[in-house]
Amino acid sequence: MSLSKRVSASVSRAASAHVEDRIWSVVKYAVLSRVISLALGAVSNAFVEDYDSSLSVFLPSVDEAKASVAFLSLERLARALAQIVVRWDAFYFVHIADAGYIYEQEHAFFPLLPLLMRALTSTVLSPLVSAIGRQLALVVAGVLVSNTAFVLAAVTLYRLGCRSLSNEKLAYVSALMFVVAPSNMFMSAVYTESLFAWLAFSALLLVSYEQYMLAALCLGASTLCRSNGITYAGFFVWNLLVRQEAWAEFAGDRGMRRWWAKIGTLLSRVLYSLILVALSSLGFVAFEIFGRRKLCEIPAGASEPERRLYCSDSLSTVYGFVQSKYWDVGFLRYYTLQQAPNFLLAAPMIVLSVAGLWVYAAHDRTRFVSLGWVQRTPAAAASTGYFDRRLLPHMYLWAVLLFVATTSMHVQVITRFFSGLPVVFWFAGHAVAAASLDPNRRWVQWAVVGYFVGYGLVGAVLFSNFFPPA
């Protein structure tokens, strides 16, 4: 082997070892953050009276006379865990996992997490059922799924950052920002945030390797978890039909035969994109079909109930109807004086998002508005890190979801809504890293880190005691 090849191999091994060390570092901090969050929730719950005592009604009490000391201690430990993680929407997930979809409003909550909870309880956690009861065993299963998915999501975000940013240090800092995300307690509770983030990050990582079919299956699973997973299918359309690189082979030869070949290639790409988008939507579509059959089909001999719009209108969805009827979700419906405090809670994430989009677009406005087809300077094309041109589709998705979050949702959930959006953490990491190099901008570093950590820790205390925001 030549000297140059030996040096190259040595450098490659060193780089791989460095990345592996970084991954284990991310794992360590992710696990530590979950331990701290749950511990903080437990301590605060011990000293602060719950805003709502629904859990004591929801979970059946154990018969202490019949339970052994060991089982009783285990049950009390599981109940203490439930006391900090079964809050707000978590009640729905536990009930769905236990009894299935009984009430119409439960169709606002997607089935992947409950299915995994039920599967774990029926297999590896089955001994717990006889010890602490089925519902508490389901709670333990939900916590295991959420926290395991959180650690996997942190690692996947780091790997995705290494691919997309061409800057390993920024990828690492961004993964650490995810570890201290403002959505903190929601990532450990019986909620879908961590599971969705892992599936979404995994899909985007597969897209970066052009493994589109596997990415579509990941997104299909994510839409069985949260509806906004469908929007990530836009990355297939971007890669195959929109970005400049996709049209490189269409330049050059203009012969008639060559043109027919180009048209054939284009049509095949359009068809492939449609297939990938359809696969990505599979989870949502399956859940919608299930909902219609569950709620619209009338058993023989039963009286016909009030017919819902989604039973007769193919363009209406069960999910959309339920969100509108039970949670008053709709365009500008949240713009009332009563909701002003919730807009204040969402303001830091909104400001962070606007700043992230503005800073990226200002780096090369021509590139931003031309979908990357025209660049202002050659230097812009060579930019790496947060200004890498490969982040363009991420920026457009961020802008779309920011518009949806601020106009058509309960705006205070924006912190957890954006927990599955890599670019949020890339910008946070960029802001922190850039400010650390400039003494005059250290306040930016403190502001971003302070917001992430402070909001997350305060949120853990509030959430574990059933206080808003949820």
Side-chain angles (χ1 to χ4, degrees):
M1 181 183 294
S2 65
L3 178 60
S4 61
K5 289 184 177 180
R6 286 200 298 270
V7 171
S8 178
S10 178
V11 170
S12 179
R13 285 195 298 271
S16 298
H18 177 70
V19 168
E20 187 175 339
D21 288 342
R22 291 288 212 190
I23 288 174
W24 281 113
S25 177
V26 170
V27 169
K28 178 181 68 176
Y29 286 119
V31 171
L32 181 61
S33 74
R34 295 311 89 203
V35 171
I36 291 173
S37 297
L38 291 172
L40 179 61
V43 171
S44 64
N45 188 258
F47 290 97
V48 180
E49 185 177 350
D50 282 0
Y51 177 73
D52 190 305
S53 58
S54 302
L55 186 67
S56 59
V57 178
F58 181 72
L59 293 176
S61 58
V62 68
D63 188 346
E64 296 190 12
K66 296 181 180 180
S68 68
V69 175
F71 279 11
L72 193 58
S73 299
L74 195 59
E75 190 272 345
R76 286 174 178 168
L77 185 62
R79 189 174 290 272
L81 176 65
Q83 196 73 27
I84 60 175
V85 298
V86 182
R87 298 298 194 227
W88 304 104
D89 294 351
F91 281 96
Y92 287 100
F93 289 116
V94 175
H95 182 260
I96 292 167
D98 183 36
Y101 287 86
I102 305 298
Y103 307 107
E104 183 182 53
Q105 61 265 36
E106 289 180 322
H107 288 261
F109 304 95
F110 286 73
L112 183 58
L113 177 59
L115 286 172
L116 292 175
M117 292 162 63
R118 186 180 294 184
L120 274 177
T121 305
S122 301
T123 53
V124 295
L125 296 182
S126 57
L128 272 182
V129 176
S130 58
I132 63 176
R134 177 175 168 81
Q135 285 186 316
L136 281 175
L138 286 168
V139 171
V140 173
V143 172
L144 284 175
V145 170
S146 289
N147 287 273
T148 301
F150 178 82
V151 176
L152 293 172
V155 171
T156 306
L157 179 62
Y158 168 69
R159 295 178 59 202
L160 176 62
C162 289
R163 288 283 300 174
S164 302
L165 301 171
S166 299
N167 186 321
E168 186 277 332
K169 181 180 179 181
L170 179 55
Y172 178 67
V173 173
S174 302
L176 295 184
M177 295 305 296
F178 175 79
V179 165
V180 294
S183 50
N184 191 359
M185 200 62 182
F186 293 96
M187 313 299 279
S188 283
V190 187
Y191 268 69
T192 57
E193 271 65 20
S194 289
L195 184 58
F196 176 79
W198 175 47
L199 291 169
F201 296 166
S202 297
L204 295 177
L205 181 61
L206 289 166
V207 168
S208 74
Y209 284 103
E210 298 188 356
Q211 297 181 19
Y212 298 130
M213 195 60 70
L214 287 175
L217 293 175
C218 268
L219 286 182
S222 79
T223 60
L224 205 57
C225 189
R226 294 185 68 90
S227 61
N228 52 301
I230 294 175
T231 60
Y232 290 66
F235 282 89
F236 300 127
V237 178
W238 174 270
N239 273 24
L240 293 170
L241 297 173
V242 177
R243 63 174 179 164
Q244 190 175 20
E245 294 88 335
W247 295 86
E249 65 181 88
F250 289 84
D253 187 2
R254 297 187 179 185
M256 185 60 68
R257 290 185 179 180
R258 182 60 178 164
W259 270 111
W260 279 113
K262 291 178 180 179
I263 292 173
T265 300
L266 177 61
L267 291 177
S268 67
R269 285 188 183 181
V270 171
L271 179 60
Y272 189 33
S273 298
L274 290 174
I275 291 172
L276 293 171
V277 171
L279 285 175
S280 301
S281 309
L282 202 56
F284 181 88
V285 172
F287 184 52
E288 178 66 21
I289 293 171
F290 166 80
R292 287 174 185 251
R293 288 184 176 178
K294 178 85 174 175
L295 300 170
C296 298
E297 292 183 0
I298 305 169
S303 59
E304 184 171 347
E306 177 189 356
R307 297 287 286 178
R308 297 299 199 189
L309 181 63
Y310 54 75
C311 292
S312 56
D313 183 3
S314 59
L315 296 180
S316 179
T317 65
V318 177
Y319 177 74
F321 177 87
V322 168
Q323 287 281 0
S324 176
K325 178 177 175 59
Y326 294 97
W327 278 270
D328 197 31
V329 171
F331 186 67
L332 299 184
R333 288 189 188 180
Y334 221 54
Y335 280 73
T336 64
L337 188 60
Q338 183 182 1
Q339 301 301 338
N342 287 322
F343 276 90
L344 289 177
L345 288 171
M349 182 57 75
I350 294 173
V351 170
L352 183 80
S353 298
V354 171
L357 289 165
W358 179 267
V359 167
Y360 184 88
H363 181 72
D364 190 339
R365 291 187 178 86
T366 303
R367 180 183 67 178
F368 189 80
V369 299
S370 67
L371 304 181
W373 279 71
V374 181
Q375 296 170 144
R376 185 181 59 196
T377 62
S383 295
T384 59
Y386 183 70
F387 300 110
D388 196 297
R389 67 195 305 273
R390 287 172 293 186
L391 267 62
L392 268 173
H394 292 274
M395 295 297 164
Y396 300 138
L397 177 62
W398 195 3
V400 168
L401 294 184
L402 178 62
F403 176 79
V404 171
T406 53
T407 62
S408 307
M409 292 176 57
H410 293 184
V411 72
Q412 73 273 16
V413 308
I414 191 172
T415 54
R416 56 191 182 92
F417 182 58
F418 279 4
S419 63
L421 205 56
V423 70
V424 170
F425 305 102
W426 290 339
F427 177 63
H430 165 75
V432 169
S436 67
L437 301 176
D438 184 354
N440 296 322
R441 293 178 58 82
R442 289 288 170 84
W443 66 270
V444 174
Q445 186 179 30
W446 285 104
V448 174
V449 174
Y451 164 57
F452 270 58
V453 175
Y455 194 99
L457 293 178
V458 172
V461 173
L462 295 174
F463 181 90
S464 60
N465 292 286
F466 223 136
F467 284 95

